[in-house]
Amino acid sequence: MPSWTDTLRFAFQPVVNLATGAVAGLEILARPETGDVLAEARRDPELDGRLAVSAIRAAARKETLLPLHVNVFAATLADLGGLTSLHTAVREAGRLPWEVTIDISPPYTHVPQQALLEAVGALRGQGFRISADGVGDGDVPLRLLTDMAPDLVKLDASLLARPAAVRAMRTLCEQLGALLSVEGVETELQCAAAVAAGAQLAQGELFAPPARLSAADVYVPPRSPGAASLPRSGPSVRQFVRPAALLPVTASAGHVRALLTGSPEVSGVLLVDAHGVPVRSVHRSRFLLSMSGRYGHALYADRPAAKLGDVPRTVGVDATAWEVLDVVAVGGRDRTSDDVAVVDHFGRCVGVVRLADLVRALAESRVEEAVGLNPLTRLPGSDAITGEVDRRIADGRAFTLSWLDVDHFKQVNDGAGFAAGDELIRSVGRALQRVASDSTRVGHIGGDDFLVLADPEGLDPVAASVLDSPWSAGGRPVSLSLATVVCAPGSVTDHRQAAACLAPLKKAAKSLSGASWVLGYAGLPGHQIRRGADAATPVGFPGAR
């Protein structure tokens, strides 16, 4: 009677980095030719554990350098209390535990949660990375997900039809220090939705189907302009991590040369100690140039490769792209093309970033920002503000959204001339720019209309900057109107609803004479007149004095 191993084969599906377009890892998928060994493994933890070991051995036969993703059922981990045999298989394959991610798969129902968490802790202590698989289409409890604190959360692509849920999961991932991946991506529209929602990784038929041989190239659709704006503080280095080529610090120069000549896509090798901490960095071009000299091979082939390496450049996994650029700038010019090692909180290498990826992303961000700037004030348009409104709603943050404009602006242009009107708009824009910060965003949405997004405590400085100053155009005095809606967490669902709450407040502000400011709360009737005629008289505003 044939064994299940006789009819079992494995396929490899790339996990794609959406920022760089590079393959970030390979998920190993069991493909039985007969029977349903996966259904059996769901019921038999010992069989599931043996499947994971077989997957690692299958990957070793392919001699891939990419990080691996191995699927294990949650019940298996809870029952076995970890996977000692998997750790042994990884070591025998010449891999390091932190190059392997354990994809914990549902179902979670009836799984002892404490036993599962203890098993996850044991795997993490051995160095394995942890992924929560099937989120959004499975039965993982949210509390258990946060207690697991995975390094990666994998969402089912069906959840992309609910972008608010995906953005909320991205926020949770940021709090947990995890990356967000989307599985089952089949169309370019789904890929664009994943990027817009902030996912860093993805896999699916669109990029490359599962195959017996790991895909050398994957298809990644080009980003549409403005698809995913980078944070003002700088994108996280996690978005740009590529797999690292790692060898023990004792490796010979001949060993490094064999790896480089057999893997043309590898730009450098990191030599790590027994704990995975980078000790030396070997740059591909400089190393091969040394080895190709007249006596290079004879001199170095059997000597430690560390003698031809440099002190590695490292950044923490929580660093931003700008911090990586700072690290690169400190060194000599001859090392600007060196990979920068990304290390976890234990100092272990989890990958590398390339300068070209960072420069390209930052340059694209600046181009996208420039396209969206108003030519008169050089302030961003409404898309930048509304996108940030949606992010704050997903984050559960309180915020204020204000609409500012010039009273009777057509008469200003007709009486003082369009040049004086343009200069007035530029002056208002400059006043708003002076109060702009990471928490206060300013946009010019056209004509004499401006949007201001701020935290509640940052509202008064904004109002003072534009309402306490005398304004004029061509010697004619001019007044401004400000309308503000305060949005508590849960009071609005998206930027459209916030804008709808703001519209009647703007109308109320415009009905007042002189510089005016009307404030209301989303979901509550009425408003308060902060400036303007009858400023002491609140209109239907609960609790106002």
Side-chain angles (χ1 to χ4, degrees):
M1 184 179 208
S3 166
W4 62 269
T5 57
D6 296 332
T7 60
L8 183 66
R9 301 292 182 268
F10 289 93
F12 301 88
Q13 184 169 46
V15 179
V16 177
N17 185 315
L18 293 173
T20 65
V23 178
L26 294 175
E27 181 173 356
I28 314 171
L29 302 169
R31 289 291 185 264
E33 295 182 358
T34 59
D36 192 352
V37 70
L38 293 179
E40 295 178 34
R42 188 180 292 114
R43 299 186 296 267
D44 185 348
E46 294 288 349
L47 174 58
D48 192 31
R50 294 199 298 274
L51 274 176
V53 169
S54 297
I56 291 294
R57 290 172 178 165
R61 289 193 293 271
K62 302 299 181 183
E63 297 183 347
T64 176
L65 295 173
L66 290 167
L68 305 173
H69 290 246
V70 180
N71 293 285
V72 180
F73 289 111
T76 296
L77 296 180
D79 188 83
L80 300 182
L83 294 171
T84 304
S85 58
L86 183 64
H87 189 271
T88 301
V90 169
R91 185 176 63 251
E92 290 175 348
R95 302 300 294 263
L96 297 167
W98 38 94
E99 295 179 278
V100 178
T101 298
I102 308 297
D103 284 1
I104 304 177
S105 304
Y108 289 85
T109 304
H110 307 308
V111 174
Q113 294 189 9
Q114 188 56 41
L116 175 59
L117 292 174
E118 290 175 0
V120 167
L123 289 169
R124 186 172 276 124
Q126 293 170 351
F128 290 105
R129 295 169 62 78
I130 302 298
S131 167
D133 202 355
V135 176
D137 196 42
D139 61 345
V140 55
L142 188 58
R143 184 174 64 182
L144 177 61
L145 180 64
T146 57
D147 289 344
M148 285 170 56
D151 302 285
L152 176 66
V153 171
K154 289 190 173 184
L155 295 185
D156 187 85
S158 62
L159 209 61
L160 292 173
R162 300 167 177 82
V166 181
R167 289 194 297 269
M169 188 57 63
R170 166 63 191 268
T171 300
L172 176 61
C173 286
E174 290 175 351
Q175 296 297 318
L176 296 176
L179 294 177
L180 182 64
S181 181
V182 178
E183 295 183 293
V185 175
E186 298 180 351
T187 67
E188 293 194 8
L189 190 61
Q190 286 181 320
C191 181
V195 172
Q200 295 104 342
L201 305 173
Q203 59 190 110
E205 296 281 342
L206 174 67
F207 310 107
R212 296 287 175 82
L213 295 176
S214 58
D217 297 305
V218 294
Y219 169 72
V220 180
R223 289 193 176 204
S224 59
S229 59
L230 299 175
R232 289 164 65 95
S233 57
S236 168
V237 73
R238 293 171 184 265
Q239 299 181 35
F240 307 98
V241 173
R242 291 175 176 262
L246 304 178
L247 286 175
V249 70
T250 55
S252 68
H255 193 179
V256 172
R257 182 175 184 274
L259 187 155
L260 291 175
T261 54
S263 307
E265 75 282 1
V266 174
S267 55
V269 176
L270 288 171
L271 305 178
V272 297
D273 65 15
H275 302 290
V277 177
V279 177
R280 302 294 283 179
S281 173
V282 179
H283 184 269
R284 179 186 186 92
S285 298
R286 293 198 299 274
F287 174 84
L288 292 179
L289 185 63
S290 298
M291 291 290 287
S292 63
R294 185 174 181 181
Y295 302 109
H297 190 271
L299 284 173
Y300 299 117
D302 297 325
R303 294 188 178 183
K307 292 184 177 295
L308 294 175
D310 301 289
V311 175
R313 293 173 166 176
T314 63
V315 294
V317 73
D318 296 322
T320 67
W322 294 111
E323 291 174 293
V324 178
L325 294 183
D326 289 340
V327 170
V328 172
V330 168
R333 293 183 179 179
D334 60 327
R335 296 195 62 191
T336 53
S337 62
D338 286 19
D339 293 343
V340 177
V342 181
V343 297
D344 63 15
H345 302 296
F346 298 98
R348 302 176 303 206
C349 180
V350 298
V352 296
V353 290
R354 296 179 180 174
L355 180 62
D357 289 338
L358 301 183
V359 172
R360 185 183 307 113
L362 294 172
E364 289 174 355
S365 173
R366 292 295 179 264
V367 170
E368 291 172 5
E369 287 179 6
V371 169
L373 296 182
N374 186 287
L376 186 61
T377 58
R378 309 304 295 168
L379 288 172
S382 61
D383 286 348
I385 303 300
T386 56
E388 180 63 21
V389 167
D390 286 337
R391 279 189 286 274
R392 297 195 188 191
I393 292 172
D395 291 347
R397 292 173 56 183
F399 64 89
T400 65
L401 185 63
S402 299
W403 192 333
L404 174 76
D405 73 348
V406 178
D407 295 330
H408 311 296
F409 185 63
K410 185 179 184 304
Q411 296 178 18
V412 173
N413 271 342
D414 291 344
F418 71 87
D422 285 352
E423 181 55 37
L424 172 63
I425 296 301
R426 279 192 287 265
S427 298
V428 174
R430 286 193 293 268
L432 290 173
Q433 280 180 314
R434 285 193 287 270
V435 297
S437 65
D438 284 341
S439 60
T440 300
R441 307 291 295 275
V442 177
H444 183 187
I445 60 176
D448 62 323
D449 292 317
F450 296 84
L451 279 179
V452 182
L453 174 65
D455 291 339
E457 59 270 18
L459 187 57
D460 286 336
V462 172
S465 69
V466 291
L467 298 182
D468 289 348
S469 300
W471 298 99
S472 63
R476 298 165 178 261
V478 173
S479 61
L480 306 182
S481 294
L482 181 66
T484 299
V485 60
V486 180
C487 299
S491 62
V492 291
T493 57
D494 59 19
H495 69 270
R496 296 176 185 85
Q497 190 173 4
C501 294
L502 188 57
L505 299 177
K506 180 192 178 186
K507 183 178 180 180
K510 298 296 288 183
S511 68
L512 302 174
S513 60
S516 61
W517 180 17
V518 166
L519 182 144
Y521 279 78
L524 295 178
H527 59 266
Q528 181 186 24
I529 301 174
R530 291 286 187 91
R531 300 280 184 95
D534 302 321
T537 306
V539 182
F541 187 77
R545 291 186 296 121

